[in-house]
Amino acid sequence: RWPYVNILVTYKHFNFWYCRFYPPNLNLYLRLEEAILKILAENISKKFLKQALFSNFTYSFELGNRYGIIGNNGSGKSTLLKIISGFLSPNTGSVTYTDGGKEIPIEEIYAHVSYCAPYIDLIESMTMDEFIDFHFKFKRFTASLDRDQFIEWVQIDPQKKIETYSSGMKQRLKLGLNLMSESKILLIDEPTSFLDSHGIEWFHRALNQFSANKILIIASNDKNDLTTCQEIINIENHKF
């Protein structure tokens, strides 16, 4: 029996259901596989001065799957996310991005990526209203979501300056911008940092609502952050 392909049935930007389709021959299956957005990391290694983080890391990330990256503090989880995002280059190896069987140039990958991490700052002199305007000059809202719905989702006063927000409110805003932008690649580092129990529940609701049919990669040592991930990658298994 041939391998199957999960197909998302969409009409006028609304996602209806997944169906399981068995191509009648292997060539058709391979053509369908090529049409899926993929990230392929091949034999990548990274070190800073004399500190070696990981080596010969090879992995394929595909649309519709959720991946968790675990490892000790300082093991290279955040560095691996930066390399996958195109922000940082590996010392050896390569990362390639393909969509519909066509390679995406590294200088264009930013248009496909949303990246959220504690070390990525907001412009705190802006109000949330102003920052929404700024952010969505470069991104679009995810399908079926508008500005008012976004504000309702993040549950933060949009008229106040970001510098007056608590750490948890800032994190919720960053997560909202990540999950609710029309990006096919979602990278999230330590998603529940600074969140209280209410914020953590909010994150999991938003994750389930907005991460379908995307590549989702979460780096965290909190197992509760990774409960929806289908594949777990231990960076400790890729040491020099």
Side-chain angles (χ1 to χ4, degrees):
R1 194 173 193 180
W2 298 116
Y4 63 80
V5 179
N6 285 324
I7 297 177
L8 178 66
V9 179
T10 303
Y11 176 67
K12 292 185 177 180
H13 306 295
F14 291 93
N15 296 332
F16 284 93
W17 67 83
Y18 281 99
C19 62
R20 185 166 289 185
F21 171 59
Y22 291 88
N25 60 66
L26 184 58
N27 287 334
L28 178 56
Y29 170 77
L30 293 174
R31 288 199 298 273
L32 287 168
E33 281 286 283
E34 289 177 352
I36 297 173
L37 177 67
K38 292 182 180 180
I39 305 171
L40 179 59
E42 291 187 282
N43 298 316
I44 63 173
S45 302
K46 189 63 181 179
K47 60 182 178 180
F48 294 101
L49 299 177
K50 295 182 179 180
Q51 181 186 8
L53 294 178
F54 50 82
S55 67
N56 299 321
F57 178 87
T58 295
Y59 214 88
S60 177
F61 303 90
E62 299 185 0
L63 194 71
N65 289 344
R66 298 177 176 186
Y67 304 87
I69 300 174
I70 62 174
N72 296 330
N73 292 338
S75 60
K77 300 187 300 297
S78 298
T79 299
L80 180 58
L81 276 191
K82 291 175 184 178
I83 291 173
I84 292 171
S85 75
F87 178 77
L88 193 65
S89 298
N91 294 112
T92 61
S94 64
V95 180
T96 54
Y97 317 85
T98 55
D99 190 9
K102 183 178 179 180
E103 185 170 343
I104 304 170
I106 185 64
E107 61 270 16
E108 296 177 12
I109 196 59
Y110 74 92
H112 301 265
V113 172
S114 286
Y115 194 169
C116 176
Y119 42 83
I120 296 178
D121 293 327
L122 300 164
I123 303 175
E124 299 202 356
S125 60
M126 289 184 175
T127 64
M128 190 176 85
D129 259 341
E130 293 169 336
F131 195 80
I132 290 172
D133 290 339
F134 173 76
H135 177 83
F136 287 105
K137 286 180 181 178
F138 307 97
K139 300 283 186 181
R140 294 181 299 174
F141 286 110
T142 191
S144 76
L145 193 75
D146 60 26
R147 181 193 186 91
D148 290 339
Q149 290 170 318
F150 174 85
I151 293 171
E152 184 178 351
W153 257 100
V154 296
Q155 303 169 9
I156 302 172
D157 184 347
Q159 302 301 322
K160 291 184 177 181
K161 287 195 173 185
I162 294 171
E163 64 188 5
T164 67
Y165 292 171
S166 68
S167 297
M169 294 165 71
K170 292 174 185 176
Q171 180 68 0
R172 197 158 72 242
L173 175 56
K174 288 195 283 187
L175 288 167
L177 293 168
N178 177 279
L179 293 168
M180 300 175 202
S181 296
E182 188 60 32
S183 303
K184 288 296 185 181
I185 302 169
L186 305 181
L187 307 178
I188 309 179
D189 199 353
E190 304 291 349
T192 57
S193 295
F194 309 116
L195 295 183
D196 57 18
S197 58
H198 172 75
I200 293 171
E201 291 176 4
W202 173 91
F203 165 68
H204 286 289
R205 287 199 309 273
L207 189 68
N208 289 330
Q209 180 74 18
F210 297 108
S211 65
N213 199 34
K214 297 185 178 185
I215 296 175
L216 172 68
I217 308 175
I218 299 175
S220 178
N221 281 330
D222 187 338
K223 63 181 181 180
N224 293 320
D225 293 346
L226 309 176
T227 52
T228 63
C229 295
Q230 297 125 322
E231 299 179 37
I232 302 296
I233 303 161
N234 190 340
I235 197 69
E236 301 289 345
N237 296 333
H238 300 274
K239 292 298 183 180
F240 281 88

